[in-house]
Amino acid sequence: MSALPPELAPGDDDLEPESGPVYGERRRRAIRIVVVIALAAMVLPLVLSLFTVARNAAVNACRVTVVRFDDHATGAHVEFELFGPGGAGWMCYAERDGHQDRLIANLGLIPSVPHAVVPDERET
C-alpha cells in the first residue's frame, strides 16, 4: 500500500520536484517592475485623497481660527510645512491689508479647530 497511484507517481518531467519555476533575470526584473507599479497605483489615490481631505479641513479650521484670534484680518490661508514652528503640520496665516501675513496657529497633521478663545489672547 505504500506505492503511489500512477497519477501521482513522478514522471520524466518531475525529476526535481523541490525546484520551482526557472525564470530568467529579465523576467524577474519585469515582474518586480509590474508589482511596484501596481502597488503605487493602489496607494497613490489613497494618499491624494487623504491630502485633499486634510487640506479642506485645514482651510475650514483656519477660517474659524482667524475669526476668533484676529479682529483685523482680511482673509486666511493655510500652508503645509514640514519644519514649521511646533513641528510638521498645517500652518494657519491671517492675511492683512498692507501688512505681512501673520501666523495664527499650527493646526497639526490632522487639522482641528483650537480651543475656546480667552479674551486676553485676542490682538487689540
Side-chain angles (χ1 to χ4, degrees), residues 57-70 76 78 90-93 103-108 110-118 121-122:
V59 167
N60 292 332
C62 185
R63 287 180 185 154
V64 170
T65 304
V66 168
V67 167
R68 287 183 177 178
F69 286 101
D70 194 346
V78 294
W90 295 95
M91 302 297 159
C92 176
Y93 292 93
L103 177 65
I104 297 293
N106 181 346
L107 302 173
I110 301 173
S112 63
V113 179
H115 302 290
V117 177
V118 178
E121 287 182 347
R122 280 186 180 256

Side-chain angles (χ1 to χ4, degrees), residues 2-117:
S2 65
L4 291 173
E7 60 271 2
L8 296 179
D12 292 338
D13 56 345
D14 291 334
L15 295 177
E16 298 177 17
E18 290 82 33
S19 65
V22 178
Y23 297 125
E25 187 60 34
R26 179 181 286 171
R27 186 168 180 185
R28 284 186 192 151
R29 187 176 299 132
I31 289 173
R32 287 179 186 150
I33 290 171
V34 168
V35 168
V36 168
I37 290 172
L39 286 173
M42 290 181 350
V43 171
L44 187 62
L46 296 173
V47 171
L48 293 176
S49 176
L50 178 66
F51 180 80
T52 302
V53 169
R55 178 161 176 74
N56 289 339
V59 167
N60 292 332
C62 185
R63 287 180 185 154
V64 170
T65 304
V66 168
V67 167
R68 287 183 177 178
F69 286 101
D70 194 346
D71 291 329
H72 305 294
T74 58
H77 71 274
V78 294
E79 295 177 11
F80 184 81
E81 297 180 12
L82 286 176
F83 303 106
W90 295 95
M91 302 297 159
C92 176
Y93 292 93
E95 299 171 354
R96 295 178 169 197
D97 289 331
H99 294 90
Q100 187 176 6
D101 293 349
R102 177 175 170 236
L103 177 65
I104 297 293
N106 181 346
L107 302 173
L109 291 174
I110 301 173
S112 63
V113 179
H115 302 290
V117 177

